[in-house]
Amino acid sequence: MPQTPQPVTPDPPEAIARPLLTQSWLDLTFVHWAVDPADVAGLLPPGTVPDTLDGVTYVGLVAFRMHRVGWLRLPGVPYLGSFPETNVRLYSVDAHGRRGVVFLSLDASRLIPVVVARLGFRMPYLWSRMSVDHLDGGTVTYTGSRRWPGPRGAGNRLTVRRGEPVEEPTELEHFLTARWGMHNAFFGRSMYLPNEHPRWPLHRAELVECEEDLITAAGLPRPAGEPVSVLYSPGVPVRFGRPARPAGIPTP
């Protein structure tokens, strides 16, 4: 069992002085459904359990544009490092109380970054045909259809209409968005990859259209009912630090 989880904070708990990766996340839409922790526990990496709020955990469908991924302090790559992405994510906490996310799938439209992420980081990236389109009235549509490795054709069509800015996020909105790390299994070892970025500029959003089978393709039951939260953000610049081992010691 984890120790008492670290508090949920709108700002990162510590600065990352020497980034491993830099990138920007732009035009994000967060759609979340409540799920039973028992339904997701078996999908998390060893050493982590579902992170819960009032006994409930969540599955998120997050669509956005990745922009100019870069290594270390090098400039971000303009073409291969910029692409639409849609991920399915869960919420986790480890034995050190570090809260994070676990990605069950990450669909992206650039083949080379997908291959590098799968082989080099053991991340569940998948190559998909994708687009992000801005329409009139603050409406954004995200579409995707999976190419490789499958299930071929799994995808999404998600349309949201941006609403008013969020002046003060609710406890749930903080819980779902203020995540300062990622749990994953790298070469058989559980790792925690910290990140930092400015405080989220959030807008509440109306879900106009949602057709997707990415959540069931990731091994979860189909979400029941309407989402409990729909948010939009114009985006933030992001820095990832070096991964920490299960003991909490950063790698050299």
Side-chain angles (χ1 to χ4, degrees):
M1 295 294 295
Q3 66 184 41
T4 302
Q6 295 174 350
V8 177
T9 60
D11 299 300
E14 59 184 37
I16 294 174
R18 295 187 300 162
L20 177 66
L21 287 169
T22 61
Q23 55 201 244
S24 291
W25 300 333
L26 305 178
D27 295 323
L28 297 96
T29 287
F30 304 85
V31 184
H32 284 92
W33 292 264
V35 292
D36 188 327
D39 288 339
V40 306
L43 299 173
L44 300 181
T48 66
V49 297
D51 196 6
T52 60
L53 181 64
D54 297 328
V56 177
T57 194
Y58 298 86
V59 56
L61 185 68
V62 183
F64 63 103
R65 289 191 299 114
M66 184 77 80
H67 183 64
R68 296 183 74 96
V69 176
W71 287 95
L72 306 174
R73 296 181 182 275
L74 298 175
V77 180
Y79 175 76
L80 290 178
S82 299
F83 46 84
E85 180 176 317
T86 299
N87 62 61
V88 176
R89 73 186 200 181
L90 302 175
Y91 294 84
S92 52
V93 62
D94 63 22
H96 304 280
R98 296 174 299 199
R99 292 182 138 115
V101 299
V102 172
F103 293 108
L104 299 185
S105 65
L106 304 103
D107 284 74
S109 64
R110 294 278 187 266
L111 178 58
I112 290 177
V114 166
V115 172
V116 170
R118 289 181 68 89
L119 296 180
F121 294 93
R122 296 299 191 265
M123 293 287 294
Y125 266 92
L126 305 112
W127 185 34
S128 296
R129 182 179 293 106
M130 309 185 77
S131 66
V132 179
D133 299 302
H134 287 263
L135 308 175
D136 293 337
T139 301
V140 187
T141 294
Y142 310 82
T143 57
S145 179
R146 191 168 292 169
R147 290 171 159 175
W148 175 85
R152 190 174 178 86
N156 65 283
R157 182 174 175 85
L158 180 67
T159 300
V160 296
R161 183 176 295 114
R162 184 178 68 247
E164 293 299 316
V166 177
E167 298 297 336
E168 181 57 41
T170 66
E171 183 181 17
L172 175 59
E173 288 165 346
H174 274 310
F175 180 87
L176 297 175
T177 60
R179 293 280 146 172
W180 306 114
M182 173 186 73
H183 291 108
N184 192 33
F186 295 89
F187 298 99
R189 286 186 171 186
S190 294
M191 293 285 187
Y192 178 78
L193 190 69
N195 71 74
E196 67 158 3
H197 57 72
R199 188 175 294 201
W200 281 111
L202 295 172
H203 295 250
R204 296 201 173 92
E206 175 190 356
L207 186 60
V208 177
E209 178 183 22
C210 183
E211 297 178 4
E212 65 83 25
D213 54 6
L214 298 179
I215 292 175
T216 55
L220 287 169
R222 183 174 297 281
E226 296 297 314
V228 297
S229 175
V230 182
L231 296 168
Y232 173 84
S233 176
V236 290
V238 185
R239 293 156 62 96
F240 280 91
R242 288 163 173 77
R245 298 190 182 95
I249 302 172
T251 56

